[in-house]
Amino acid sequence: MQSKIINMAERLKDEQDRALEALFRMQPVADDGFSKRVTTTLRRRIWARRITLPLAVFVGSAIAAKPAVALMGRASELLSSVPVMESSLPAGWVPSPFILLAGGMLLAIGLFGLNMLEE
């Protein structure tokens, strides 16, 4: 049965089909390493993109950590001096600087992991 189908397909070929088959049977064009250079360049750019965002987040977090901790300290002092806010909010609602820093680091690690999974 299958040989009949193949024979029918061979008989139904026209001149364009035969020309296309002849084209596909030809040897590939030599590119003298062009394809390898292009793929190397693309891989290098992909790795640069993978590393740049997490590195920028880490450096920015390292630069902003000290001012952010100082700001949170000032904010807790300011909120404790306001009597209306003190009576309506629990005392421990402001997270400690350590928790904020740990959360920022987890966020950076998560972004790096998602970036790696994306590629």
Side-chain angles (χ1 to χ4, degrees), residues 21-109:
E21 284 180 351
L23 260 172
F24 288 129
R25 278 193 299 261
M26 293 175 62
Q27 294 295 322
V29 177
D31 65 353
D32 295 329
F34 176 76
S35 299
K36 188 173 184 175
R37 287 192 310 263
V38 168
T39 55
T40 303
T41 303
L42 289 176
R43 284 189 186 129
R44 195 175 309 132
R45 286 183 185 172
I46 288 171
W47 274 105
R49 287 184 185 146
R50 282 181 182 171
I51 294 172
T52 302
L53 180 63
L55 184 64
V57 168
F58 178 74
V59 170
S61 299
I63 291 171
K66 188 175 180 181
V69 169
L71 180 65
M72 288 303 294
R74 300 281 183 200
S76 65
E77 289 173 16
L78 179 64
L79 288 176
S80 65
S81 68
V82 177
V84 175
M85 294 296 285
E86 190 174 315
S87 64
S88 64
L89 293 174
W93 75 275
V94 178
S96 70
F98 174 74
I99 297 293
L100 290 174
L101 188 62
M105 290 176 70
L106 283 175
L107 178 65
I109 291 170

